[in-house]
Amino acid sequence: MRLRLQRTSVERCGHRQTIGMESENVEVLQRAWFNELKRGNDLTAELLRVQKDCKHALRQGMFAGLGGAVGATILVSLLLSALKPLQGLEVFKPSLERIAEQLERRPLR
């Protein structure tokens, strides 16, 4: 859609400028703006409706908890596998063994 300027005199900083738009283009823009606002309001209402749903909140919490547990398990296993080769060095051996033992013995919470 191409907008055509309508001649309107405006004085700005001592200079006269011509600005403006045809009224039908303004109406088109107003309708488009209104439709976008309505769409945003509808999306916000849908988001609030979903957040109030208890089953959805429970499901979302369960997935978050499961993801955290699985992620922590993978992180600890990667850390242990990265530390195992360094146990061969005599300088790091005692502290790395202690860290590995603590990670392996730590009870699940």
Side-chain angles (χ1 to χ4, degrees):
M1 167 177 54
R2 187 176 177 142
L3 299 176
R4 286 180 272 153
L5 294 176
Q6 178 184 4
R7 298 239 180 239
T8 306
S9 293
V10 175
E11 185 152 341
R12 182 176 169 201
C13 299
H15 300 288
R16 283 197 156 302
Q17 296 179 342
T18 58
I19 61 169
M21 291 186 290
E22 294 179 10
S23 62
E24 57 214 27
N25 289 332
V26 171
E27 290 173 9
V28 169
L29 289 175
Q30 285 175 344
R31 268 188 262 119
W33 181 253
F34 176 76
N35 289 337
E36 286 300 313
L37 286 175
K38 187 174 182 318
R39 187 172 148 257
N41 287 342
D42 293 343
L43 289 174
T44 304
E46 177 67 19
L47 179 65
L48 291 174
R49 185 190 64 76
V50 167
Q51 286 179 348
K52 288 182 181 177
D53 184 18
C54 292
K55 289 181 183 178
H56 179 73
L58 177 66
R59 194 175 324 123
Q60 200 171 15
M62 288 172 55
F63 283 131
L66 179 65
V70 170
T73 302
I74 292 172
L75 184 65
V76 168
S77 66
L78 288 174
L79 180 65
L80 286 175
S81 65
L83 292 177
K84 290 280 182 186
L86 295 178
Q87 284 181 339
L89 301 173
E90 293 298 324
V91 176
F92 299 118
K93 190 171 186 169
S95 59
L96 291 177
E97 283 179 351
R98 191 171 51 245
I99 291 171
E101 286 175 15
Q102 288 178 355
L103 289 174
E104 288 173 354
R105 284 188 311 176
R106 191 173 189 165
L108 296 175
R109 295 182 187 187

